Amino acid sequence: MLGPPGVGKGTQAQQLSKEFGIPQISTGDILRDAIQKKTVLGEKANTFMSRGELVPDKVMLGIIQETLFSEHAPEGYILDGFPRTVAQAMGLQKLFEEHNDTLSAVLSLEADENQIVRRLSSRRTCQNCNALYNLLTMPPKIEGKCDVCSGELYQRNDDRIETIRNRLRVYKQQTEPLIGFYKSLGVLKSINASGLPEEVQKNIIGQLED
Ligand code: AP5
């Protein structure tokens, strides 16, 4: 899943994971979990994430190498938030070659920047199961509680307006070049992600079946 912060990668990846019965691997969730557990990785990642900057490529490739090939996922998996730089994408290609694996599709989600800022500033996430909500478009049934597991909902530290702006700048500089990279490999699928979540999901499944 490729796309700017807040475009709906996590929302769509969670749905696709249910639809296809394959795991979602979110590098953002892995890092936030490490921060919560106060591990060495978490402390290191926190300094970058709180500023809206990317965690160094070497650290991220290490995490992916550990996670991807220790997961038992014979039917495949959905990568959400990785790769995010050309160096990460090249590292991933190398890992695929070493493990005889392939990348079947890269879903590039697109939406207008004002819509993205609105989505992010009203996002809430479950502390326990990472389910996603939005106070404007997808509110929980009970205020502050997750519909799925009754866990507490929280607002992410990097969803403050000045950090959102920096994340969008970082996306343009460091991640957007991946669109050309994956286009040249013939695996890129552009998805209009400005509609309702169900419409975006339909659009994705249609493109995957093409
Ligand atoms: P990460 O957690 O991956 O954040 P992100 O890419 O910035 O993306 P978001 O999770 O903010 O948004 P999303 O696109 O998943 O949208 P969502 O579905 O939640 O990364 C966080 C940080 O970790 C990075 O800044 C970096 O520091 C570090 N990091 C992670 N991976 C890294 C890597 N590979 N390399 C280096 N550093 C890395 O939706 C947003 C909101 O909109 C929600 O409230 C949702 O309910 C709502 N919504 C979703 N879709 C719709 C819709 N169609 N209509 C209306 N509302 C919608």
Side-chain angles (χ1 to χ4, degrees), residues 12 22 28 48 94 120 129 160-161 166 181 185:
Q12 295 302 325
I22 58 175
F48 296 97
K94 201 163 154 250
L120 283 179
C129 73
R160 284 165 301 149
I161 193 74
N166 195 36
F181 179 88
L185 294 185

Short mmCIF file of all heavy atoms in Angstrom, two decimals, residues 12 22 28 48 94 120 129 160-161 166 181 185:
data_model
loop_
_atom_site.label_atom_id
_atom_site.label_comp_id
_atom_site.label_asym_id
_atom_site.label_seq_id
_atom_site.Cartn_x
_atom_site.Cartn_y
_atom_site.Cartn_z
N GLN A 12 -7.82 0.55 4.44
CA GLN A 12 -8.01 -0.39 3.32
C GLN A 12 -7.26 -1.70 3.57
O GLN A 12 -7.76 -2.78 3.27
CB GLN A 12 -7.56 0.25 2.00
CG GLN A 12 -8.39 1.45 1.58
CD GLN A 12 -9.88 1.12 1.43
OE1 GLN A 12 -10.24 0.02 1.01
NE2 GLN A 12 -10.73 2.07 1.78
N ILE A 22 -5.34 -12.70 4.66
CA ILE A 22 -3.87 -12.64 4.71
C ILE A 22 -3.46 -11.51 5.67
O ILE A 22 -4.20 -10.55 5.84
CB ILE A 22 -3.23 -12.43 3.30
CG1 ILE A 22 -3.75 -11.14 2.65
CG2 ILE A 22 -3.47 -13.63 2.41
CD1 ILE A 22 -3.08 -10.82 1.32
N GLY A 28 4.22 1.18 10.65
CA GLY A 28 3.83 2.20 11.63
C GLY A 28 3.36 1.54 12.92
O GLY A 28 3.76 1.93 14.02
N PHE A 48 12.24 10.23 15.60
CA PHE A 48 11.92 10.55 14.20
C PHE A 48 10.42 10.73 14.02
O PHE A 48 9.95 11.69 13.41
CB PHE A 48 12.40 9.43 13.26
CG PHE A 48 13.89 9.27 13.27
CD1 PHE A 48 14.51 8.31 14.06
CD2 PHE A 48 14.69 10.11 12.51
CE1 PHE A 48 15.88 8.17 14.08
CE2 PHE A 48 16.08 9.98 12.51
CZ PHE A 48 16.67 9.01 13.31
N LYS A 94 15.62 -7.10 -3.19
CA LYS A 94 16.72 -8.02 -2.91
C LYS A 94 16.25 -9.15 -1.99
O LYS A 94 16.54 -10.33 -2.23
CB LYS A 94 17.88 -7.23 -2.27
CG LYS A 94 19.21 -7.91 -2.39
CD LYS A 94 20.35 -6.93 -2.14
CE LYS A 94 21.54 -7.69 -1.64
NZ LYS A 94 21.85 -7.43 -0.24
N LEU A 120 -6.84 13.11 8.96
CA LEU A 120 -5.85 12.82 10.01
C LEU A 120 -6.16 13.53 11.31
O LEU A 120 -5.97 12.97 12.39
CB LEU A 120 -4.45 13.23 9.53
CG LEU A 120 -3.79 12.28 8.54
CD1 LEU A 120 -2.43 12.80 8.13
CD2 LEU A 120 -3.66 10.89 9.14
N CYS A 129 -6.24 -2.94 19.67
CA CYS A 129 -6.22 -3.77 18.44
C CYS A 129 -5.91 -2.97 17.18
O CYS A 129 -5.96 -3.52 16.07
CB CYS A 129 -7.54 -4.52 18.29
SG CYS A 129 -8.93 -3.49 17.79
N ARG A 160 -0.82 15.98 14.97
CA ARG A 160 -0.98 17.41 15.20
C ARG A 160 -0.70 18.11 13.88
O ARG A 160 0.13 17.64 13.09
CB ARG A 160 -0.01 17.90 16.27
CG ARG A 160 -0.47 17.50 17.68
CD ARG A 160 0.63 17.65 18.66
NE ARG A 160 1.75 16.81 18.23
CZ ARG A 160 3.01 17.07 18.45
NH1 ARG A 160 3.37 18.14 19.08
NH2 ARG A 160 3.97 16.25 18.03
N ILE A 161 -1.37 19.26 13.68
CA ILE A 161 -1.37 19.87 12.35
C ILE A 161 0.05 20.14 11.80
O ILE A 161 0.34 19.85 10.65
CB ILE A 161 -2.29 21.12 12.31
CG1 ILE A 161 -2.55 21.55 10.86
CG2 ILE A 161 -1.79 22.28 13.13
CD1 ILE A 161 -3.49 20.66 10.14
N ASN A 166 4.50 18.34 7.99
CA ASN A 166 5.86 17.83 7.75
C ASN A 166 5.82 16.43 7.14
O ASN A 166 6.58 16.11 6.23
CB ASN A 166 6.69 17.85 9.03
CG ASN A 166 8.17 17.68 8.72
OD1 ASN A 166 8.65 18.19 7.69
ND2 ASN A 166 8.88 16.93 9.53
N PHE A 181 9.12 4.33 -9.69
CA PHE A 181 9.90 3.10 -9.53
C PHE A 181 9.02 1.88 -9.81
O PHE A 181 9.39 0.99 -10.58
CB PHE A 181 10.45 3.06 -8.09
CG PHE A 181 11.27 1.84 -7.75
CD1 PHE A 181 12.63 1.80 -7.99
CD2 PHE A 181 10.66 0.72 -7.18
CE1 PHE A 181 13.39 0.67 -7.66
CE2 PHE A 181 11.41 -0.41 -6.84
CZ PHE A 181 12.77 -0.43 -7.09
N LEU A 185 8.33 -1.11 -13.01
CA LEU A 185 8.32 -2.57 -12.83
C LEU A 185 7.00 -3.19 -13.31
O LEU A 185 6.82 -4.41 -13.27
CB LEU A 185 8.52 -2.93 -11.35
CG LEU A 185 9.87 -2.61 -10.70
CD1 LEU A 185 9.90 -3.15 -9.27
CD2 LEU A 185 11.02 -3.21 -11.49
#
